[in-house]
Amino acid sequence: MTSTSKPITPLRQRMIDDMRMRKLSPKTQASYIRVVKRFAGFLGRSPDTASVEDLRRYQLHLVDHGISPISLNATLTGLKFLFETTLDRPELLTKMHPVHVPHKLPVVLSREEVARLIAAVDNLKHQTALSVAYGAGLRASEVVSLKVGNIDSQRMTLRIEQGKGSKDRYAMLSPVLLERLRAWWKFAHAQGKMLQGGWLFPGLDPIDPLSTRQLNRAIHAAAEAARIDKRVSMHTLRHSFATHLLEQKVDIRVIQVLLGHKKLETTALYAQVATDILREVVSPLETLQPV
């Protein structure tokens, strides 16, 4: 039987090698390759034949087709790697410019909404995974990357290995979350769905972890079932975790460590959505004396 897969071009192989040399994450490598592939499709020929005007036209094409500022900047980053690193032709990017990303406050659920959301999940694996995302403030990718051995019930911590920025850290493990994890562990083992020392949340094949896409589908279905009309995603649980801790008067620097934020300013964003804190502030209007 002959293979129908196309051979990798020398240009793509060189770019892959350049990314490997710099130890870019598999996710970043896949993103850059996807960006270059789309540009080649627009160009109709090999990207290494592009001109300054071709790249300028491509950015206009993306803008005219409604690409978001975040996606546009991500596209420029991928093309920048190709032309600056792989092709050593940075001068071709002179007409391409990153755009400003509008600042938006994160969507945050109330404690009552979080309880309703998690209770609305009818699958124990997904329900436990959402409990971990909220209870420890983890990203979806960090939840699905957890292994059974990452749970330390003696120190009451979750070990996060190679989170964002390729950094290890410890997340909090509350008694309630530990009990939920134990209930899931017992159920999964009884059903033969979890390998010894394997993924905490395995996929259909226990060799593979649950995918973030499956988690996102689960939380969207739960939000609909719980009749929550806010725009909810897995990251909403992380935002809610941080905001609720801030409202509980937890030091913002502690929250920074728990979230794995590099900069305190990133964590400080939650002060703008911590409504319990806002309600405690007395408006100067209240202190005015009648004239």
Side-chain angles (χ1 to χ4, degrees):
M1 181 181 294
T2 58
S3 173
T4 58
S5 61
K6 295 182 179 179
I8 297 178
T9 64
L11 176 60
R12 177 178 293 194
Q13 187 59 60
R14 184 175 179 82
M15 184 174 175
I16 291 172
D17 292 341
D18 287 337
M19 292 188 291
R20 286 177 51 238
M21 285 172 61
R22 287 154 183 80
K23 293 194 172 183
L24 300 187
S25 71
K27 185 176 180 181
T28 299
Q29 292 188 39
S31 174
Y32 285 6
I33 291 295
R34 189 161 51 246
V35 162
V36 174
K37 184 177 179 180
R38 287 172 181 167
F39 175 59
F42 166 83
L43 200 60
R45 59 182 193 274
S46 179
D48 60 358
T49 65
S51 65
V52 172
E53 186 59 27
D54 288 328
L55 286 160
R56 180 179 180 276
R57 284 193 305 110
Y58 187 53
Q59 181 163 353
L60 284 172
H61 166 79
L62 294 175
V63 171
D64 290 343
H65 283 74
I67 190 172
S68 71
I70 292 177
S71 296
L72 177 57
N73 288 343
T75 296
L76 298 187
T77 301
L79 292 175
K80 182 178 180 181
F81 187 91
L82 171 68
F83 288 101
E84 286 190 352
T85 303
T86 300
L87 295 176
D88 194 22
R89 297 192 64 192
E91 72 279 1
L92 294 178
L93 300 168
T94 55
K95 297 297 183 181
M96 299 195 83
H97 304 284
V99 297
H100 173 71
V101 177
H103 172 78
K104 294 184 179 180
L105 292 176
V107 174
V108 173
L109 302 178
S110 68
R111 290 170 176 79
E112 186 269 340
E113 286 174 327
V114 172
R116 279 167 44 208
L117 179 74
I118 294 176
V121 183
D122 57 7
N123 178 295
L124 183 59
K125 175 168 60 176
H126 295 160
Q127 186 181 69
T128 309
L130 265 60
S131 297
V132 171
Y134 173 69
L138 303 190
R139 302 174 179 89
S141 59
E142 294 170 344
V143 172
V144 300
S145 296
L146 286 172
K147 293 186 176 180
V148 176
N150 294 137
I151 302 173
D152 189 337
S153 59
Q154 297 299 314
R155 300 178 62 203
M156 294 302 287
T157 60
L158 292 172
R159 180 177 172 83
I160 311 302
E161 298 179 344
Q162 298 298 287
K164 188 174 182 180
S166 301
K167 295 181 179 179
D168 292 351
R169 77 177 192 280
Y170 285 101
M172 63 185 295
L173 175 61
S174 70
V176 171
L177 182 55
L178 178 60
E179 286 306 309
R180 294 189 183 192
L181 287 171
R182 282 173 170 164
W184 159 242
W185 184 87
K186 291 177 182 177
F187 175 83
H189 268 270
Q191 299 292 321
K193 297 180 178 180
M194 188 182 294
L195 300 177
Q196 185 71 30
W199 302 108
L200 183 58
F201 299 111
L204 292 177
D205 186 335
I207 296 177
D208 301 316
L210 184 69
S211 70
T212 56
R213 181 176 297 181
Q214 289 171 302
L215 272 189
N216 277 310
R217 282 201 296 261
I219 197 170
H220 291 153
E224 184 176 353
R227 297 184 178 180
I228 296 173
D229 56 7
K230 295 177 180 177
R231 189 171 182 177
V232 176
S233 69
M234 285 298 297
H235 220 66
T236 304
L237 294 178
R238 178 173 160 88
H239 292 321
S240 302
F241 164 85
T243 303
H244 296 165
L245 285 184
L246 196 58
E247 291 175 341
Q248 292 169 203
K249 304 296 192 299
V250 176
D251 190 296
I252 195 168
R253 288 165 294 186
V254 174
I255 300 174
Q256 177 190 4
V257 172
L258 292 174
L259 293 175
H261 283 164
K262 184 177 181 180
K263 298 180 179 179
L264 184 60
E265 304 90 85
T266 306
T267 315
L269 171 68
Y270 297 110
Q272 300 180 45
V273 290
T275 55
D276 284 2
I277 292 177
L278 295 179
R279 284 194 290 268
E280 292 179 5
V281 179
V282 177
S283 167
L285 179 65
E286 304 296 321
T287 64
L288 293 181
Q289 297 298 320
V291 177

